[in-house]
Structures are given as C-alpha cells and as structure tokens.
Amino acid sequence: MDACSRLCSLVAAIDEGAPARWSTRRFLVEVGRAGAGVRLGPLWMLDAATGGRNVIRGRGFAPEYDDATRGQARHFAGIVAVAARVGPRAARWASIRIGGDRPDTADGHLTDAAVEFTRLLRSGALPRSEAADWLRERLCA
C-alpha cells in the first residue's frame, strides 16, 4: 500500500474510532497528530514550525501533488493540523510565506488541497464519514 492510500486509511480509522463528542476541529487535529506527528496541546506550534515528522513515508500521490519526495502525507496532514487551529487562510499564508511552498508547485497544490479539505469538513459540506474517499479520489494516483 502506498503512502497516499495509507493516509486515506488513517483518516478512515480516525473517523471510525473517534468518540461521537469529537468536534470537527478535534478530528482534524487528530489527523495532524497521527499523520504528521503534530502533537496535541501547546507544543503543536513547535512541531508545525519544524515540519512535523514523516509518520507515513512513501509516494502514491497524483502528479500535481507529487514532489518526488516521501513526505507528502506528512505535508498534507501537517497543513490540516495547522488549518484546524489557526484557520485555513492563515495556514495557507504560513505554508507559502514561512514554509516557502509556492502555489504553483506540488507542495503548493497539496497545501491548497489540505486547506480545501479543512474548509469542507468544517463547513459540513463534506461529512467526516466521506473524508477518506474524498482524499482517495482527489489526492491519490
């Protein structure tokens, strides 16, 4: 199984195991913890600032999201974790201005997908139960 498929499976597993009381924000924060090593609590900023860690190594992302590294799952989950906490707009700004992920690159496209994913879930337009399928259809090769 490639990294993109493992990311989708991880999101599905988080949804299935999440207590009913979890907010969408908590769900998204957990995606970042499990997929990018962005801790819960106040130290999340340190993890986000240092890029998290490659919990899911490998490839398998569609060409527009593939930068030929083995860290795209981390990138996506890390942006989701940041967007859940500071909002999608601020997360995108930080990815571009601080992270150097130009919008016309694979990382920039992946940032935009993570921001869209976060917005759709937070607005209710994408039910959590459909999150893994959305990722599979959108991100995976």
Side-chain angles (χ1 to χ4, degrees), residues 110-125:
L110 197 56
T111 292
D112 288 344
V115 164
E116 181 181 7
F117 178 75
T118 303
R119 281 187 180 135
L120 289 170
L121 281 166
R122 290 179 79 176
S123 72

Side-chain angles (χ1 to χ4, degrees), residues 47-107:
D47 297 332
T50 59
R53 67 181 200 286
N54 282 329
V55 177
I56 302 172
R57 291 182 182 270
R59 309 271 309 269
F61 287 79
E64 71 180 287
Y65 305 113
D66 186 357
D67 70 350
T69 69
R70 296 169 33 101
Q72 294 306 82
R74 174 202 47 81
H75 182 99
F76 181 86
I79 296 295
V80 166
V82 173
R85 290 172 167 100
V86 302
R89 185 175 296 169
R92 185 174 189 277
W93 180 90
S95 177
I96 293 167
R97 300 287 183 224
I98 298 169
D101 299 327
R102 292 188 344 258
D104 61 340
T105 65
D107 281 345

